[in-house]
Amino acid sequence: MSMIASLKSVNEEKLKELLSNPDGLIPFLYEEDGQVCDVDKAWHAIHFLLNKAVWEYSSIGGAVFLGGVPISDEDIGYGPARYFSSDESSSISAELAKITDVTLLENFAALTSESEIYPGFSDNEEDREYITQNFSQLKEFCAEVAKSGSSIITYMC
């Protein structure tokens, strides 16, 4: 089984509904309504490169995969789905927008030597491209969410 990180946009009204009735969470995550960003298995590499840490995060942008407030205790696959408010989502977008591919990859050597990074990456162009393509997709998604005034739900399955 793979550990894939996804994010989904949610408007304020729907988020309030999910918080008061989390039974609707899984159907919402898998319905076609709303924008979705799937960063596949690149999430942990991106997390590490943003935070220079395997599991901890050092900023709101770095918290995008492992931070946020749990919507419920339900395990979606690898822990609960969590959300960021619309203000936090805007802050995430603003922070990520400042990071270029070159800046992101500054600690690539440390990433390839870190044994705890899932699923493991090698010092080659293919892995660099995989990470930067998914990071670009993440930045675009967060920019659209911020522009719409929505919130982000983040989850792993």
Side-chain angles (χ1 to χ4, degrees), residues 19-32:
L19 291 170
S20 66
N21 181 17
D23 290 343
L25 177 62
I26 290 180
F28 172 74
L29 293 177
Y30 295 103
E31 68 185 25
E32 292 183 25

Side-chain angles (χ1 to χ4, degrees), residues 74-139:
E74 184 174 8
D75 188 338
I76 302 299
Y78 291 96
R82 296 164 319 283
Y83 75 94
F84 293 95
S85 69
S86 58
D87 287 343
E88 291 169 324
S89 298
S90 291
S91 295
I92 289 169
S93 176
E95 187 175 312
L96 296 182
K98 296 176 186 175
I99 301 169
T100 66
D101 290 353
V102 172
T103 306
L104 181 71
L105 294 177
E106 284 177 351
N107 290 310
F108 193 77
L111 168 75
T112 60
S113 64
E114 179 55 62
S115 63
E116 285 189 59
I117 298 296
Y118 174 81
F121 293 89
S122 298
D123 191 2
N124 61 51
E125 191 59 31
E126 183 180 340
D127 282 357
R128 281 185 186 86
E129 284 182 24
Y130 174 70
I131 292 165
T132 56
Q133 286 173 348
N134 279 285
F135 182 64
S136 293
Q137 180 182 327
L138 173 66
K139 289 191 333 182

Side-chain angles (χ1 to χ4, degrees), residues 46-68:
I46 295 168
H47 172 84
F48 181 84
L49 293 169
L50 290 173
N51 296 288
K52 296 159 188 61
V54 177
W55 298 109
E56 298 79 24
Y57 48 88
S58 55
S59 66
I60 189 72
V64 70
F65 298 116
L66 299 176

Side-chain angles (χ1 to χ4, degrees), residues 11-45:
N11 66 41
E12 207 63 34
E13 182 181 320
K14 184 64 178 181
L15 180 58
K16 287 178 184 176
E17 179 185 320
L18 292 171
L19 291 170
S20 66
N21 181 17
D23 290 343
L25 177 62
I26 290 180
F28 172 74
L29 293 177
Y30 295 103
E31 68 185 25
E32 292 183 25
D33 192 29
Q35 292 181 293
V36 176
C37 176
D38 174 357
V39 293
D40 200 52
K41 298 174 191 173
W43 73 270
H44 206 190

